[in-house]
Amino acid sequence: ILKKQEPDVDIHEICEEDTVRLEASGGDFYHWNTGSTSDFITQILDTTTIFSLRALNQNTNCSYTIYDTITVHSLPDVHIEASDTITCSQSAVTLYAIGNASDYLWNNSTHGNTLNLLPSTSQQYSVTAFSNFGCVNKDSLFVTVNLPPADFTIAVSANTICFNESTTVTALPSPSSTIRYYHWNTTQGDINTPDFTYHPSLNIPNVYIDTIRVTIEDYNGCTKNAIIPITILPIPRDTIIAPSSICIYDTIHINTSGLNYSYFWSGNPFPNNQSSSVWFVPTSVQPSSLNFAANITNSYGCTLNLNKSIQVNPLPQISITHQQDTNYFCNNVNYSFTASGASQYHWSNGMTNNPIQIIPTGSIISVTGTDIHGCKNNTSLPVNIITAPTASINMNDTMICAL
């Protein structure tokens, strides 16, 4: 009688590298094909094996031989691959069980051929692979988790600024020697230094808060973020309303929007004026331009500086010429008069062409000239009208003798 044990008394199939115990009974002496003469044998099998046993009865001197085949099933192939074996705390890592098994069981009791992790400490992960027969195999992998950089602060030169101001922002990790990379999220582009000068980018009429974020990375590739809010105050929304050029002696009105702001004017021609608009009449073209500035302050204390330059143009110098040597003109004679010094002309008789052909009447001829800047001036020419003499011939005789 051949009796098999470990793991099952009736087993004829085992897994590779399993141990099988075969026991003999019913005889007095035994001889196994392994060479053993014991009433049992223990074997670790990696291939299918046929066992034979010859049993002998001492009293009858009879013997018999029996056979049994132990089928050995191969272990499933399995090994673990990882998206990262060295990572940072709370960074995503995926483990993959690669092989030909029908099922996989991870050491956290999760089934499947993948395991998604957010590890916070270094540790070993293992997976057990099961074949359809029930044979098992294992593999393990150690994942090293590096801690992130220590908490750090951000120093700011000013937490509240006006839109047209700036503030210096500095990341202060400790120790700074472990940091190899800085990245500030800013509209000013990538900035990779420990500090930078922040300029607001959104100009709106209301107070708003802009959040600055910095990411630091250590030499292990681990990162940490920090944020700080910056309060942005609006600046005055105003403009100077004035022409770009004027003529000397013209009255100019320089105006602003007139909102509830404080104004302070500086520069020629009205220093230290504090109204929202000013009036001025230039009486000289030296200097040829008026340069001035308005310092405008709103209720938040934010200021806007506006500059303006106005060109002061001289009046055109108008003159009238004609073909006479003097200003004496014969009565009822047509003369040509030419104006110069401007680009457009308007004569006292309503004519706008130049030169003009007229019969002088009255005591003056006047013309107004306008130059390319729109500046106007006029001049006049005194006119003296002379009445032409009346000629006659007197004769004593109307008949004379021929010579």
Side-chain angles (χ1 to χ4, degrees), residues 319 337-345 347 351-356 367:
S319 61
F337 296 89
T338 302
S340 60
S343 57
Q344 295 178 345
Y345 302 93
W347 298 87
M351 300 177 69
T352 57
N353 54 308
N354 187 52
I356 60 173
V367 65

Side-chain angles (χ1 to χ4, degrees), residues 149-152 170-182 194 216-219:
D151 290 336
F152 65 101
T170 305
L172 300 173
S174 180
S176 60
S177 59
T178 63
I179 306 304
R180 70 170 181 176
Y181 176 78
Y182 297 83
I216 63 173
E217 180 180 320
D218 62 18
Y219 285 91

Side-chain angles (χ1 to χ4, degrees), residues 120-134:
S120 57
T121 59
S122 300
Q123 74 176 80
Q124 183 141 317
Y125 296 89
S126 62
V127 66
T128 301
F130 297 88
S131 69
N132 289 327
F133 179 72

